[in-house]
Amino acid sequence: MLSFLKEHKFKFIGYGLLLIIGIIFPIVSPNRYYLTVATLGFIYAIAVYGLNLIVGYLGQLSLAQAGFFGLGAYTSGLLMLKLDLNFWLALPLAAIITTILAVLVGLISFRTKGHYFVILTLCIGVIINLVIEKWDSLTGGVRGLIGIPLPNPIGPLEFKTLESQYYLVFVFLLITIYVMNRISSSLLGRTFRSIRNSEDLASTLGINVMYNKLLGFAIAAFFTGIAGALYASYIRFLGPEISTHHLTFEFLLFLLIGGQATVAGPLVGTLIASVITESLQFAQEYRMVIFGLMLILIVRFFPGGAVGEARKLKVKVTDFYNRRKAGNYPSGPGAGSSKGKLGVPSKGESHVTKN
Amino acid sequence: MLLKTEHLTKNFGGLTALNKVDFEINEGELVAIIGPNGAGKSTFFNVISGFYRPSSGTIKFMGKEITNLETHNFARLGIGRTFQTTHLFTDSTVLDNLIIGYRSKTKMGFFDAIFYSPRSRREENMCREKAEEILDFIGLLEFKNYPVANISQEAAKRLAIGLALVTEPRLLLLDEPAAGINHGETTNLANLIKKIQQSGITVCLIEHKMKMVMNLAEKIMVLNYGTKIAEGTPKEVSENERVIEAYLGGVEHA
Amino acid sequence: MDLFLQQIVNGLTLGCIYCLVALGLTLIYGIMEVPNFAHGHFYMIGAYVTFFMMTLYGLNYWLSAIIAGIVLAILGVLLERLVFHPMRHTPATNKFIAAVGAMLFLEALARVLWGSDYRNIPSVYDNVVQIAGIRTTEQKLIIIIGAFVLMAALYVFIKKTLIGSTIEAMAQNRDGASLVGIDVNRVAMLTFAVASLLAAAAASLSGPIFLVYPGMGNIIIMKAFVIIVIGGMGSIPGAVIGAFILGMAETMGATYISSSYKDIVAFAILVLILSIRPSGLFARGVR
Ligand SMILES: Nc1ncnc2c1ncn2[C@@H]1O[C@H](COP(=O)(O)OP(=O)(O)OP(=O)(O)O)[C@@H](O)[C@H]1O
Ligand SMILES: [Mg+2]
């Protein structure tokens, strides 16, 4: 048990910090505005976790994400407004409906590969957006949906105050992070990552690539749908712009800032991006100028994002430290064989071919 | 009979890479496929491992027709393979590569993962044990925590074989396992292949290194321009007129 | 019947604009394997340059269009040098994301510099003309003729010059062609220049009949992607055919089915095609 704790030291510290900071934030926050920023940031972060599963773990650049977010939001909003459903019924229904649609989308789009997949998912996102915008009688078109009810109280717990809404969203964020962490550290996460690394190899090892992509896509859509539903009842107004590809690109940016295929990345990235946005208050119109540039700079120079680059740094530092300690690292047999690579000792390398 | 192909044909556009190949592999055998460059050897592997769909013809494995199954089912039924250019999961360690190789033998799914069910724990341990067993078998145990990018080419070749072995195949297809490694390493590799056969796995090998093929194989099929031109024991094949002609007409290989 | 002929002309006009944009996109894709997301925003900037040349400096329409073409060609080369060239060995996903970044940057920059208002390039040629019983405007004729002249020029460039035929060879056959002794850098830069120039031309030609605003590149870039997917990514004739198919389908869809859902037509076609043929209509790969 102790060794388990030690091995996952950073993880536990991370969780502890998240929990403590998350809980005390509303108490210490100097102004209520920050609370609204944090709540919205958490909602977005949940959607970014979904995206991370597809883009980060499965390596499939799906650009329909905002479409699913909008779908979750509108489904929940409409269920509450038009059918008077309870929030606690509307939310799971919205997530499930989003998931079902995502599976249908996945069945079509995962048959395509590479750029075709990217463009196809982008177009599917655009179709969802256009349907939301044009289906005036249902969605209110460009005028949007107004007056979506607050989440219904659970017993004595009401969600009328900003603080209570913050905690509600925070709990959902924690659930999301827990699930993503479990996926990431299980065989399922390994399966997803193997598909990202080489679909061909994964399938020759007996892994059903299509099934796993669909599974990842469905889980991602489920959480994105939840994020959408939370958004609907938090902002209480929905317009078609929450489903445009611009929001997809923002999610993508948040993910890249934080670091794809990491458990902390989506939250870290979303929070960093929120802080940047807020510090640009006086120059809001420059926001996307800066984000656009950041996107280019990140993929060019820091593809690992904040978490990924930090991890690389940590490896470098421990490596350096070990080397100093051991004098000569690594010390396994075969070290220092040909081409500076490590491996089974070889007896001279007479005819290494081009292969 | 473990594997049987009938009239197996594969066209790439106008090119016939495989032309009506009939071939049989019996349980426990060590067979080899040889032929000049571009003869269709790798294509044959790609088709019988489910990686490519054949244009026509059938594949039977353990008496069951498997021609139109999806790629992952070939592996699940017991056909393991390596690629001509070494394919590994480059972003992880030696051990992690083999762990994922055992995934198809496990059943845990999404809910096992999020609830950390006993099954998921048991299967994760199973994967780890199996991976270490294979690492020991291929002689890479001490490198288990090395990133794949840091091991030598010869070790990577062994690991690729290990990756195919970890799926517990009945039939193992090795595409030029000895390409690009030196003489001493080739001998080690030949020993490994023998060891694999002795452990009860049927092996089919593509190789240009004739000495190795002649020493190892019990049966050889020769392909040329996608067509089977000879089949038999190493002795029979090496004396076959058409084979000698094909090799003299094409490029000579070491 | 009259309406039908009218719509044929409209579809042709739209097809011409799509064609110029899609040709550039397919060329860039063929050479660099970059789905250049910023291409539609080059179209947008081309429209703004034309607009400002005419309104601020009082230049005439044609001169403004030429200046827009030159400015955009330079911008295209800059984008290639600063973003795509340094990233040529990175995974496809990274290049795609960089292109998205460039797109977001350009749109936001346009918003900051020029505001979000809708503008209109002053139309000099808005007389109605009647040809063979079809009523249309001079501007539409100019679009059609202009686009065909440019396509012919591109054809001559590709078929008759060495560098042009190199571009074609590289675009259509990325891995197969043995391209010894070719300055890949020069080809890449030239491709971006030509492609961006075509986008600017599309914008200058269509500016007088469309609105000019920072987000105008968004829809057209996606339609251009739909077109090159229909025609086969990297294929030059495919882009031309795809553009006219889409131009016609949209115009007819808007007239005879529903005008409010007209933008969906393009994307629905794409989804349909890729559902039936996952590797595009004219796929070359086999498996
Ligand atoms: N995916 C593909 N698409 C098109 N042609 C292919 C494909 N794979 C193989 N070919 C062609 O099929 C023919 C047979 O190729 P194959 O790789 O099977 O040869 P091989 O016998 O393995 O040769 P080598 O000894 O060089 O590995 C070659 O002409 C090759 O170019
Ligand atoms: Mg081969």
Side-chain angles (χ1 to χ4, degrees):
Chain A
M1 190 61 204
L2 214 63
S3 71
F4 180 76
L5 275 177
K6 210 168 166 186
E7 197 182 323
H8 296 93
K9 183 168 62 190
F10 284 100
K11 224 179 218 176
F12 281 103
I13 294 173
Y15 277 121
L17 279 179
L18 172 66
L19 209 60
I20 294 166
I21 296 176
I23 290 171
I24 64 169
F25 182 73
I27 303 162
V28 299
S29 166
N31 101 31
R32 293 176 59 76
Y33 176 70
Y34 288 157
L35 209 54
T36 63
V37 173
T39 310
L40 194 59
F42 288 170
I43 292 175
Y44 285 154
I46 296 174
V48 178
Y49 273 104
L51 190 66
N52 188 29
L53 207 54
I54 316 167
V55 176
Y57 287 88
L58 280 163
Q60 310 295 310
L61 187 56
S62 164
L63 297 181
Q65 194 66 2
F68 294 140
F69 183 78
L71 197 72
Y74 269 90
T75 309
S76 174
L78 285 170
L79 287 175
M80 291 174 78
L81 271 180
K82 307 239 154 152
L83 297 183
D84 274 333
L85 278 197
N86 184 306
F87 172 80
W88 297 103
L89 208 57
L91 176 121
L93 274 178
I96 290 168
I97 289 173
T98 310
T99 309
I100 292 172
L101 193 93
V103 170
L104 294 179
V105 167
L107 280 172
I108 295 172
S109 49
F110 283 130
R111 295 176 63 216
T112 65
K113 294 237 155 67
H115 291 132
Y116 286 101
F117 175 80
V118 182
I119 294 166
L120 181 57
T121 50
L122 181 72
C123 287
I124 289 170
V126 174
I127 291 178
I128 296 175
N129 171 250
L130 285 173
V131 169
I132 289 176
E133 191 184 307
K134 307 284 181 191
W135 196 346
D136 219 89
S137 56
L138 183 70
T139 64
V142 283
R143 282 167 287 114
L145 278 187
I146 304 158
I148 297 159
L150 284 172
N152 301 64
I154 321 174
L157 272 182
E158 297 203 343
F159 300 100
K160 286 194 175 131
T161 64
L162 200 52
E163 282 79 6
S164 57
Q165 289 161 9
Y166 167 91
Y167 284 120
L168 173 72
V169 171
F170 184 60
V171 167
F172 274 100
L173 177 71
L174 288 179
I175 295 172
T176 310
I177 295 177
Y178 170 78
V179 169
M180 295 300 162
N181 179 41
R182 282 305 322 147
I183 292 175
S184 177
S185 46
S186 72
L187 276 178
L188 194 61
R190 286 178 186 273
T191 313
F192 289 169
R193 283 190 296 261
S194 76
I195 290 172
R196 173 201 174 101
N197 206 250
S198 170
E199 272 180 40
D200 288 347
L201 190 54
S203 64
T204 51
L205 293 175
I207 289 170
N208 188 339
V209 172
M210 182 71 174
Y211 169 80
N212 279 289
K213 282 181 178 175
L214 277 176
L215 177 63
F217 207 57
I219 301 169
F222 186 82
F223 283 98
T224 311
I226 288 182
L230 289 171
Y231 179 93
S233 283
Y234 174 63
I235 302 290
R236 309 186 62 191
F237 163 81
L238 294 177
E241 65 285 344
I242 60 157
S243 60
T244 61
H245 58 282
H246 277 88
L247 189 62
T248 300
F249 293 150
E250 292 211 23
F251 288 159
L252 192 62
L253 176 75
F254 299 168
L255 176 59
L256 287 165
I257 292 177
Q260 37 173 328
T262 64
V263 175
L267 180 62
V268 170
T270 310
L271 293 183
I272 292 178
S274 303
V275 170
I276 295 174
T277 305
E278 292 316 314
S279 51
L280 285 175
Q281 261 316 304
F282 50 92
Q284 265 305 308
E285 64 269 37
Y286 285 95
R287 183 168 167 269
M288 285 322 283
V289 177
I290 290 167
F291 278 0
L293 272 182
M294 270 180 82
L295 208 48
I296 300 175
L297 294 177
I298 290 171
V299 283
R300 245 196 89 176
F301 299 109
F302 309 105
V307 175
E309 299 298 328
R311 197 177 281 169
K312 273 189 218 162
L313 198 69
K314 190 186 131 200
V315 169
K316 262 191 203 149
V317 169
T318 23
D319 198 50
F320 178 74
Y321 181 72
N322 284 347
R323 212 181 288 235
R324 290 258 311 250
K325 212 168 59 176
N328 178 13
Y329 167 85
S331 50
S337 85
S338 63
K339 292 173 275 172
K341 300 237 166 160
L342 319 163
V344 171
S346 56
K347 308 176 191 100
E349 217 125 6
S350 48
H351 66 159
V352 177
T353 49
K354 52 244 165 272
N355 211 17
Chain B
M1 194 175 350
L2 189 60
L3 181 108
K4 181 179 168 128
T5 70
E6 272 172 357
H7 278 60
L8 204 59
T9 302
K10 177 72 190 174
N11 302 314
F12 292 114
L15 179 94
T16 304
L18 272 186
N19 191 3
K20 297 187 188 138
V21 175
D22 297 315
F23 191 52
E24 287 174 13
I25 300 174
N26 294 312
E27 187 102 48
E29 267 182 339
L30 205 167
V31 303
I33 300 173
I34 61 170
N37 283 102
K41 306 180 294 295
S42 297
T43 304
F44 184 72
F45 268 18
N46 283 332
V47 172
I48 62 172
S49 65
F51 200 63
Y52 289 166
R53 282 266 159 86
S55 307
S56 62
T58 56
I59 309 162
K60 279 197 183 124
F61 188 67
M62 299 196 296
K64 230 177 74 187
E65 171 152 359
I66 58 166
T67 318
N68 290 315
L69 294 184
E70 285 171 279
T71 311
H72 63 269
N73 286 324
F74 279 70
R76 287 173 178 220
L77 284 173
I79 301 179
R81 70 167 298 182
T82 64
F83 290 87
Q84 187 166 351
T85 46
T86 314
H87 253 46
L88 295 168
F89 295 114
T90 44
D91 64 353
S92 52
T93 65
V94 169
L95 183 69
D96 286 339
N97 263 269
L98 293 185
I99 288 177
I100 195 63
Y102 202 59
R103 170 66 170 134
S104 66
K105 292 280 186 282
T106 62
K107 293 202 162 57
M108 59 86 66
F110 173 64
F111 292 103
D112 291 301
I114 57 172
F115 297 119
Y116 204 17
S117 70
R119 176 159 79 175
S120 92
R121 263 174 284 183
R122 190 178 62 239
E123 291 188 341
E124 266 156 44
N125 287 334
M126 237 164 71
C127 284
R128 201 168 287 270
E129 279 162 22
K130 181 74 189 177
E132 300 206 342
E133 177 196 322
I134 295 293
L135 277 177
D136 191 34
F137 186 84
I138 59 174
L140 287 180
L141 196 52
E142 61 231 300
F143 300 104
K144 68 175 184 183
N145 291 323
Y146 283 96
V148 162
N150 288 358
I151 61 175
S152 72
Q153 195 192 355
E154 197 262 357
K157 293 230 161 212
R158 277 173 186 266
L159 183 57
I161 296 174
L163 203 46
L165 284 175
V166 85
T167 64
E168 300 184 333
R170 291 182 143 229
L171 172 63
L172 177 66
L173 310 172
L174 300 174
D175 197 344
E176 301 197 24
I181 60 175
N182 68 32
H183 185 71
E185 291 166 343
T186 304
T187 316
N188 285 340
L189 196 81
N191 290 337
L192 177 64
I193 294 171
K194 263 250 145 1
K195 200 165 97 179
I196 292 170
Q197 187 204 10
Q198 277 155 11
S199 76
I201 296 169
T202 311
V203 178
C204 180
L205 174 80
I206 292 176
E207 193 47 76
H208 283 301
K209 291 186 174 170
M210 280 311 153
K211 223 176 112 203
M212 177 173 167
V213 172
M214 295 298 161
N215 282 336
L216 276 178
E218 294 155 6
K219 180 169 90 182
I220 296 177
M221 164 164 82
V222 190
L223 288 178
N224 193 22
Y225 294 111
T227 310
K228 180 167 95 174
I229 56 170
E231 183 182 336
T233 62
K235 190 159 177 298
E236 284 164 10
V237 162
S238 58
E239 285 162 3
N240 185 303
E241 285 292 322
R242 290 182 70 189
V243 175
I244 295 167
E245 203 175 304
Y247 268 89
L248 289 180
V251 195
E252 187 68 65
H253 286 277
Chain C
M1 195 61 213
D2 220 27
L3 178 68
F4 181 72
L5 288 177
Q6 201 81 37
Q7 293 311 324
I8 293 260
V9 176
N10 288 341
L12 197 63
T13 316
L14 198 57
C16 281
I17 297 162
Y18 286 162
C19 184
L20 293 179
V21 178
L23 273 173
L25 195 63
T26 211
L27 278 176
I28 293 176
Y29 184 82
I31 299 289
M32 311 276 295
E33 250 187 274
V34 184
N36 181 15
F37 226 91
H39 195 66
H41 288 67
F42 277 11
Y43 167 84
M44 175 268 294
I45 294 175
Y48 270 104
V49 174
T50 316
F51 173 79
F52 284 119
M53 286 300 145
M54 289 179 76
T55 54
L56 282 188
Y57 301 105
L59 296 185
N60 99 6
Y61 175 62
W62 297 103
L63 197 59
S64 305
I66 290 169
I67 292 176
I70 295 170
V71 170
L72 264 290
I74 295 170
L75 271 183
V77 173
L78 277 180
L79 182 69
E80 197 274 333
R81 283 292 101 179
L82 294 179
V83 179
F84 295 123
H85 179 73
M87 293 189 65
R88 63 198 178 286
H89 300 305
T90 58
T93 308
N94 292 21
K95 289 189 252 181
F96 197 101
I97 293 170
V100 167
M103 174 197 117
L104 296 177
F105 172 75
L106 290 175
E107 183 175 338
L109 196 66
R111 232 168 263 257
V112 169
L113 293 177
W114 305 315
S116 300
D117 311 338
Y118 290 81
R119 301 163 199 259
N120 224 323
I121 290 183
S123 182
V124 205
Y125 303 101
D126 50 6
N127 296 326
V128 173
V129 289
Q130 191 138 4
I131 301 170
I134 309 164
R135 283 158 56 86
T136 183
T137 62
E138 285 172 356
Q139 188 63 41
K140 283 186 183 167
L141 286 184
I142 289 176
I143 292 174
I144 294 172
I145 295 168
F148 275 96
V149 168
L150 282 168
M151 279 186 261
L154 184 70
Y155 182 82
V156 171
F157 170 70
I158 278 175
K159 293 293 174 196
K160 301 286 182 240
T161 67
L162 181 63
I163 187 104
S165 49
T166 314
I167 290 179
E168 190 193 23
M170 273 176 78
Q172 311 251 21
N173 194 0
R174 244 164 290 122
D175 24 51
S178 73
L179 299 157
V180 197
I182 277 159
D183 184 351
V184 181
N185 276 328
R186 213 159 71 100
V187 171
M189 282 192 278
L190 196 69
T191 305
F192 265 85
V194 170
S196 311
L197 189 146
L198 289 174
S204 304
L205 285 172
S206 64
I209 61 168
F210 289 155
L211 291 170
V212 179
Y213 59 100
M216 69 187 280
N218 282 317
I219 281 285
I220 195 145
I221 184 63
M222 278 194 270
K223 289 188 179 162
F225 272 128
V226 172
I227 290 166
I228 71 170
V229 168
I230 295 175
M233 292 177 78
S235 159
I236 296 169
V240 177
I241 296 168
F244 286 108
I245 292 179
L246 188 65
M248 285 296 170
E250 276 191 1
T251 315
M252 296 302 162
T255 319
Y256 296 104
I257 301 170
S258 149
S259 82
S260 69
Y261 284 96
K262 111 174 192 301
D263 280 336
I264 294 186
V265 171
F267 307 113
I269 291 177
L270 179 103
V271 172
L272 199 68
I273 287 177
L274 287 182
S275 310
I276 301 164
R277 303 215 36 168
S279 32
L281 218 44
F282 304 107
R284 276 172 300 187
V286 264
R287 167 139 183 190

